Amino acid sequence: MKYLLLIHSNPVTWGHPSFLHTEEGRKLPKSAREALSAQLEKLLTELSERGELVTAAPLAAPRQTKVIRVREGVRATTDGPYSEAKEQLAGVFIVDVESPERAEEIAARIPEAQFVAVELRPISALDE
């Protein structure tokens, strides 16, 4: 069963690479960021070794986001992200696991789950 894990994060607190060279990007001490990075690498290695990781991808800085809407055939592009919240979608994992419980276990181990949220969604096939 495949699941999409949507990782929500505050790019300022986490120290997103686009913020690391600014004062606000240093909210977490370097040692804390390094520990979280090590935790993430350990999880990615385990998922790869178990054959459960389909893909994982961080997203670019929220300020690079665009929102596209088409109304009555007219496209409108605005700066994103969609919500005005400090927390933004930061990245995604797609995993292929044997049970919903395993997907929840993986989601709980993603570092951002300690601070904001990881959203877990089953992936449906288009022909279902």
Side-chain angles (χ1 to χ4, degrees):
M1 182 174 252
K2 289 184 181 173
Y3 287 88
L4 174 66
L5 286 70
L6 299 166
I7 303 164
H8 297 271
S9 183
N10 183 328
V12 173
T13 303
W14 172 241
H16 186 282
S18 64
F19 286 92
L20 283 180
H21 302 292
T22 66
E23 192 60 38
E24 63 184 0
R26 297 186 188 100
K27 297 288 184 185
L28 285 178
K30 183 178 179 182
S31 60
R33 289 193 312 269
E34 288 173 350
L36 291 171
S37 293
Q39 179 183 346
L40 180 60
E41 283 303 315
K42 180 179 179 184
L43 177 59
L44 289 170
T45 298
E46 176 191 318
L47 296 176
S48 293
E49 289 173 352
R50 291 177 56 129
E52 294 176 320
L53 183 65
V54 175
T55 192
L59 300 178
R63 67 177 170 260
Q64 294 176 305
T65 302
K66 300 289 182 189
V67 176
I68 314 303
R69 293 178 179 85
V70 177
R71 301 294 184 267
E72 298 179 15
V74 178
R75 183 180 75 199
T77 303
T78 57
D79 290 337
Y82 181 72
S83 68
E84 294 299 322
K86 290 182 181 180
E87 293 78 26
Q88 305 296 331
L89 185 61
V92 299
F93 281 24
I94 295 179
V95 295
D96 192 355
V97 295
E98 294 184 13
S99 69
E101 293 79 17
R102 176 64 179 149
E104 289 178 26
E105 175 188 320
I106 293 166
R109 291 179 56 200
I110 294 173
E112 283 80 3
Q114 300 170 61
F115 306 106
V116 184
V118 175
E119 186 176 341
L120 179 64
R121 289 194 177 179
I123 296 176
S124 300
L126 289 174
D127 58 356
E128 289 183 355

